[in-house]
Amino acid sequence: MNVLVVDTGSASLHLRVLGPDDEVLAQADVGGADGPQTDRAWRDLAAGDLPISAVGHRLVHGGPRLSQPTVIDDKVRAELEGVAKLAPLHVPQALAALDEARTALPDVPHVACFDTAFHADLPEAARMYALPAEWRERYGLRRYGFHGLSYAWALGHAAELIGRPVDEIQVVLTHLGGGCSACAVREGRSVDTTMGFTPLEGLVMCRRSGSVDPGLLLWLQTEHGLDADEITQTLNRRSGLAGLSDISDDTRDLVRARVSGDAAAALALDVFTHYARRGIAAMAASLDRLDALVFTGEIGEDQPEVREEICAGLGVLGLSAGLIPGNPSGPAIVSGPDADVPVLVVPTGEVPQIAAEVRATLARL
């Protein structure tokens, strides 16, 4: 079965056709979910000689009812429209790509794969906000968690690296990329995570603020007249590393600027790694022991300085500085042989994870 994987970002669209052994048979990368380049990419895929048996769509948010990979029909499509506002940087663009794909390839099954599904069984204490029952029930307020496709892929490889079954290990996984989060996994199950109702909660990110005092936001509204749209745009697009440094949202740029003496770049990296350490330590509190710390995501796998600084400040968890420098070409242990807690790097694998979930879903029909 050849599976076309549609991975839509906030300003990009990545198309990959994976063969039965997850080899990439065709690919296209365009600047967004619509436009002339996108139309041409869909036409080329639909008209090509490469047979496509199914399409897998990455959806960041599935809302309260879509908590496992699901074959898309008109009813599911309407349900997804209802959760688009919970992840405004991602879901609207993903739905535009989904519509294009269903038009271009109407005769094959389309499957939605959700980042929230990995966290669907969070324990009640980790899932609940301390809000009145009336609010929780009327508005469906709960913590969902995200980056689940990345975590599912990283977890399997982490278990292989430390030579133990998935259902026997307790690890903290951290996805550091455009969005950033950490997750506690106990015996194959997500038991806590730093993101919540939306992908804005938790760690400092590239352009997203992560968690801020809700009282601060109320104060900006009541005392300074900032409206909801301005606050939304600022928290989602003008904060994080970009807002702290006023230079770049890319850690590579900031590491270089810090070496050149840029104080704002140094501060941005200090805040980023501080919040990452705080999140990792919080996740470890949901475990009985820490069998490994796992880094994935573009920053997690490609920025050794960030990994080093995070681990150097987590001696309380048995971690330490002195990681192997550079970036491994595949899943690898980057801590020394005498490390009390191994530190692992697993390259991001949402695309093959989606293909695997699509095949498993269709096999059950």
Side-chain angles (χ1 to χ4, degrees), residues 14-15 27 62 93 105 116 122 125 138 147 149 158-159 193-194 217 231 242 255 262 264 302 345 347 359:
H14 305 288
L15 307 174
Q27 66 183 60
Q93 293 84 341
L105 297 163
T116 47
L122 277 176
R138 178 184 298 179
H147 290 136
L149 294 163
T193 188
T194 56
L217 303 178
I231 291 173
V255 167
D262 190 299
D302 289 336
V345 172
R359 296 186 182 107

mmCIF file of all heavy atoms in Angstrom, residues 14-15 27 62 93 105 116 122 125 138 147 149 158-159 193-194 217 231 242 255 262 264 302 345 347 359:
data_model
loop_
_atom_site.group_PDB
_atom_site.id
_atom_site.type_symbol
_atom_site.label_atom_id
_atom_site.label_comp_id
_atom_site.label_asym_id
_atom_site.label_seq_id
_atom_site.Cartn_x
_atom_site.Cartn_y
_atom_site.Cartn_z
ATOM 1 N N HIS A 14 3.577 19.806 3.275
ATOM 2 C CA HIS A 14 4.535 18.770 2.917
ATOM 3 C C HIS A 14 3.764 17.522 2.493
ATOM 4 O O HIS A 14 2.931 17.010 3.255
ATOM 5 C CB HIS A 14 5.449 18.443 4.096
ATOM 6 C CG HIS A 14 6.148 19.644 4.661
ATOM 7 N ND1 HIS A 14 7.173 20.290 3.997
ATOM 8 C CD2 HIS A 14 5.960 20.327 5.813
ATOM 9 C CE1 HIS A 14 7.586 21.314 4.718
ATOM 10 N NE2 HIS A 14 6.863 21.367 5.823
ATOM 11 N N LEU A 15 4.039 17.052 1.296
ATOM 12 C CA LEU A 15 3.389 15.863 0.748
ATOM 13 C C LEU A 15 4.448 14.784 0.546
ATOM 14 O O LEU A 15 5.498 15.047 -0.056
ATOM 15 C CB LEU A 15 2.709 16.179 -0.586
ATOM 16 C CG LEU A 15 1.728 17.354 -0.595
ATOM 17 C CD1 LEU A 15 1.242 17.637 -2.012
ATOM 18 C CD2 LEU A 15 0.554 17.070 0.324
ATOM 19 N N GLN A 27 7.560 13.277 -3.479
ATOM 20 C CA GLN A 27 7.386 14.305 -2.463
ATOM 21 C C GLN A 27 7.212 15.668 -3.096
ATOM 22 O O GLN A 27 7.596 15.888 -4.257
ATOM 23 C CB GLN A 27 8.567 14.339 -1.502
ATOM 24 C CG GLN A 27 9.889 14.759 -2.126
ATOM 25 C CD GLN A 27 11.019 14.686 -1.114
ATOM 26 O OE1 GLN A 27 11.314 13.620 -0.570
ATOM 27 N NE2 GLN A 27 11.642 15.829 -0.851
ATOM 28 N N GLY A 62 -8.114 16.912 17.548
ATOM 29 C CA GLY A 62 -9.293 16.131 17.212
ATOM 30 C C GLY A 62 -10.517 16.489 18.030
ATOM 31 O O GLY A 62 -11.590 15.910 17.818
ATOM 32 N N GLN A 93 -5.631 25.380 8.169
ATOM 33 C CA GLN A 93 -4.778 25.074 7.021
ATOM 34 C C GLN A 93 -4.852 23.586 6.672
ATOM 35 O O GLN A 93 -4.868 23.206 5.496
ATOM 36 C CB GLN A 93 -3.329 25.482 7.330
ATOM 37 C CG GLN A 93 -3.130 26.988 7.466
ATOM 38 C CD GLN A 93 -3.458 27.518 8.852
ATOM 39 O OE1 GLN A 93 -4.144 26.881 9.639
ATOM 40 N NE2 GLN A 93 -2.973 28.709 9.157
ATOM 41 N N LEU A 105 -8.118 13.283 -5.110
ATOM 42 C CA LEU A 105 -8.077 11.820 -4.995
ATOM 43 C C LEU A 105 -9.379 11.340 -4.346
ATOM 44 O O LEU A 105 -9.401 10.909 -3.196
ATOM 45 C CB LEU A 105 -6.870 11.398 -4.166
ATOM 46 C CG LEU A 105 -5.495 11.756 -4.760
ATOM 47 C CD1 LEU A 105 -4.416 11.685 -3.691
ATOM 48 C CD2 LEU A 105 -5.173 10.828 -5.922
ATOM 49 N N THR A 116 -3.534 14.713 19.176
ATOM 50 C CA THR A 116 -4.140 14.586 20.503
ATOM 51 C C THR A 116 -4.399 13.133 20.900
ATOM 52 O O THR A 116 -4.597 12.851 22.089
ATOM 53 C CB THR A 116 -5.465 15.362 20.542
ATOM 54 O OG1 THR A 116 -6.236 15.030 19.377
ATOM 55 C CG2 THR A 116 -5.226 16.861 20.569
ATOM 56 N N LEU A 122 -5.168 10.345 29.212
ATOM 57 C CA LEU A 122 -4.496 10.995 30.335
ATOM 58 C C LEU A 122 -5.253 10.720 31.632
ATOM 59 O O LEU A 122 -6.487 10.754 31.655
ATOM 60 C CB LEU A 122 -4.443 12.509 30.124
ATOM 61 C CG LEU A 122 -3.336 13.106 29.264
ATOM 62 C CD1 LEU A 122 -3.573 14.606 29.130
ATOM 63 C CD2 LEU A 122 -1.953 12.836 29.841
ATOM 64 N N ALA A 125 -6.409 13.421 36.895
ATOM 65 C CA ALA A 125 -5.717 14.514 37.576
ATOM 66 C C ALA A 125 -4.873 15.336 36.611
ATOM 67 O O ALA A 125 -4.714 16.549 36.785
ATOM 68 C CB ALA A 125 -4.843 13.966 38.703
ATOM 69 N N ARG A 138 -19.994 22.649 30.249
ATOM 70 C CA ARG A 138 -20.630 23.445 29.197
ATOM 71 C C ARG A 138 -19.695 23.680 28.020
ATOM 72 O O ARG A 138 -20.107 23.604 26.853
ATOM 73 C CB ARG A 138 -21.092 24.786 29.759
ATOM 74 C CG ARG A 138 -21.728 25.703 28.699
ATOM 75 C CD ARG A 138 -22.086 27.056 29.275
ATOM 76 N NE ARG A 138 -23.071 26.950 30.343
ATOM 77 C CZ ARG A 138 -23.529 28.001 31.022
ATOM 78 N NH1 ARG A 138 -23.068 29.224 30.758
ATOM 79 N NH2 ARG A 138 -24.423 27.837 31.971
ATOM 80 N N HIS A 147 1.505 16.983 19.889
ATOM 81 C CA HIS A 147 2.742 16.329 19.418
ATOM 82 C C HIS A 147 2.671 14.808 19.554
ATOM 83 O O HIS A 147 3.698 14.129 19.606
ATOM 84 C CB HIS A 147 3.978 16.862 20.170
ATOM 85 C CG HIS A 147 4.328 18.270 19.830
ATOM 86 N ND1 HIS A 147 4.673 19.204 20.784
ATOM 87 C CD2 HIS A 147 4.371 18.913 18.648
ATOM 88 C CE1 HIS A 147 4.929 20.357 20.207
ATOM 89 N NE2 HIS A 147 4.734 20.216 18.906
ATOM 90 N N LEU A 149 1.803 12.350 17.520
ATOM 91 C CA LEU A 149 2.366 11.528 16.450
ATOM 92 C C LEU A 149 3.887 11.459 16.580
ATOM 93 O O LEU A 149 4.493 10.395 16.391
ATOM 94 C CB LEU A 149 1.960 12.099 15.087
ATOM 95 C CG LEU A 149 0.467 12.015 14.785
ATOM 96 C CD1 LEU A 149 0.092 12.953 13.638
ATOM 97 C CD2 LEU A 149 0.069 10.580 14.447
ATOM 98 N N ALA A 158 12.916 4.845 21.213
ATOM 99 C CA ALA A 158 13.586 4.943 22.510
ATOM 100 C C ALA A 158 13.645 3.581 23.192
ATOM 101 O O ALA A 158 14.678 3.200 23.772
ATOM 102 C CB ALA A 158 12.853 5.947 23.392
ATOM 103 N N ALA A 159 12.548 2.845 23.145
ATOM 104 C CA ALA A 159 12.534 1.511 23.744
ATOM 105 C C ALA A 159 13.573 0.608 23.090
ATOM 106 O O ALA A 159 14.273 -0.155 23.779
ATOM 107 C CB ALA A 159 11.133 0.910 23.616
ATOM 108 N N THR A 193 1.486 15.835 30.258
ATOM 109 C CA THR A 193 2.115 16.576 29.175
ATOM 110 C C THR A 193 1.954 18.062 29.432
ATOM 111 O O THR A 193 1.073 18.479 30.200
ATOM 112 C CB THR A 193 1.526 16.173 27.808
ATOM 113 O OG1 THR A 193 2.291 16.764 26.756
ATOM 114 C CG2 THR A 193 0.063 16.570 27.677
ATOM 115 N N THR A 194 2.809 18.872 28.823
ATOM 116 C CA THR A 194 2.838 20.290 29.153
ATOM 117 C C THR A 194 1.831 21.109 28.362
ATOM 118 O O THR A 194 1.430 22.186 28.816
ATOM 119 C CB THR A 194 4.248 20.870 28.914
ATOM 120 O OG1 THR A 194 4.644 20.613 27.560
ATOM 121 C CG2 THR A 194 5.253 20.261 29.875
ATOM 122 N N LEU A 217 -3.001 38.463 31.355
ATOM 123 C CA LEU A 217 -3.825 38.681 30.170
ATOM 124 C C LEU A 217 -5.088 39.463 30.523
ATOM 125 O O LEU A 217 -5.510 40.355 29.768
ATOM 126 C CB LEU A 217 -4.183 37.341 29.533
ATOM 127 C CG LEU A 217 -2.990 36.458 29.151
ATOM 128 C CD1 LEU A 217 -3.462 35.142 28.575
ATOM 129 C CD2 LEU A 217 -2.076 37.174 28.173
ATOM 130 N N ILE A 231 -4.279 40.011 21.448
ATOM 131 C CA ILE A 231 -3.637 39.096 22.385
ATOM 132 C C ILE A 231 -3.365 37.753 21.723
ATOM 133 O O ILE A 231 -2.275 37.178 21.862
ATOM 134 C CB ILE A 231 -4.514 38.932 23.637
ATOM 135 C CG1 ILE A 231 -4.525 40.232 24.448
ATOM 136 C CG2 ILE A 231 -4.017 37.775 24.504
ATOM 137 C CD1 ILE A 231 -5.480 40.228 25.615
ATOM 138 N N ALA A 242 11.300 34.541 19.235
ATOM 139 C CA ALA A 242 11.276 35.738 18.387
ATOM 140 C C ALA A 242 11.013 36.975 19.218
ATOM 141 O O ALA A 242 11.664 38.013 19.044
ATOM 142 C CB ALA A 242 10.215 35.580 17.298
ATOM 143 N N VAL A 255 22.176 31.026 18.740
ATOM 144 C CA VAL A 255 23.454 30.520 19.242
ATOM 145 C C VAL A 255 24.607 31.307 18.628
ATOM 146 O O VAL A 255 25.550 31.709 19.319
ATOM 147 C CB VAL A 255 23.589 29.012 18.968
ATOM 148 C CG1 VAL A 255 25.026 28.544 19.200
ATOM 149 C CG2 VAL A 255 22.631 28.217 19.859
ATOM 150 N N ASP A 262 25.616 39.046 21.662
ATOM 151 C CA ASP A 262 24.276 39.622 21.676
ATOM 152 C C ASP A 262 23.551 39.203 22.956
ATOM 153 O O ASP A 262 23.228 38.030 23.165
ATOM 154 C CB ASP A 262 23.498 39.145 20.446
ATOM 155 C CG ASP A 262 22.188 39.890 20.270
ATOM 156 O OD1 ASP A 262 21.334 39.803 21.167
ATOM 157 O OD2 ASP A 262 22.005 40.540 19.220
ATOM 158 N N ALA A 264 20.484 39.943 24.047
ATOM 159 C CA ALA A 264 19.092 39.532 23.873
ATOM 160 C C ALA A 264 19.009 38.090 23.388
ATOM 161 O O ALA A 264 18.135 37.322 23.818
ATOM 162 C CB ALA A 264 18.378 40.461 22.899
ATOM 163 N N ASP A 302 18.605 18.699 16.221
ATOM 164 C CA ASP A 302 19.626 19.412 15.452
ATOM 165 C C ASP A 302 20.382 20.487 16.229
ATOM 166 O O ASP A 302 21.230 21.161 15.657
ATOM 167 C CB ASP A 302 18.988 20.085 14.228
ATOM 168 C CG ASP A 302 18.563 19.076 13.178
ATOM 169 O OD1 ASP A 302 19.135 17.972 13.159
ATOM 170 O OD2 ASP A 302 17.654 19.390 12.391
ATOM 171 N N VAL A 345 18.414 10.864 21.339
ATOM 172 C CA VAL A 345 17.907 11.722 20.266
ATOM 173 C C VAL A 345 17.242 10.826 19.230
ATOM 174 O O VAL A 345 17.847 9.850 18.769
ATOM 175 C CB VAL A 345 19.041 12.541 19.609
ATOM 176 C CG1 VAL A 345 18.523 13.274 18.373
ATOM 177 C CG2 VAL A 345 19.627 13.536 20.603
ATOM 178 N N PRO A 347 15.250 11.309 15.591
ATOM 179 C CA PRO A 347 14.754 12.232 14.559
ATOM 180 C C PRO A 347 13.236 12.151 14.419
ATOM 181 O O PRO A 347 12.632 11.095 14.574
ATOM 182 C CB PRO A 347 15.461 11.739 13.286
ATOM 183 C CG PRO A 347 16.720 11.101 13.787
ATOM 184 C CD PRO A 347 16.332 10.448 15.081
ATOM 185 N N ARG A 359 -2.385 2.544 7.671
ATOM 186 C CA ARG A 359 -2.448 1.122 7.314
ATOM 187 C C ARG A 359 -3.174 0.310 8.399
ATOM 188 O O ARG A 359 -3.989 -0.549 8.094
ATOM 189 C CB ARG A 359 -1.038 0.582 7.092
ATOM 190 C CG ARG A 359 -0.317 1.223 5.904
ATOM 191 C CD ARG A 359 1.034 0.546 5.636
ATOM 192 N NE ARG A 359 1.718 1.202 4.537
ATOM 193 C CZ ARG A 359 2.775 1.985 4.658
ATOM 194 N NH1 ARG A 359 3.271 2.223 5.870
ATOM 195 N NH2 ARG A 359 3.340 2.525 3.603
#
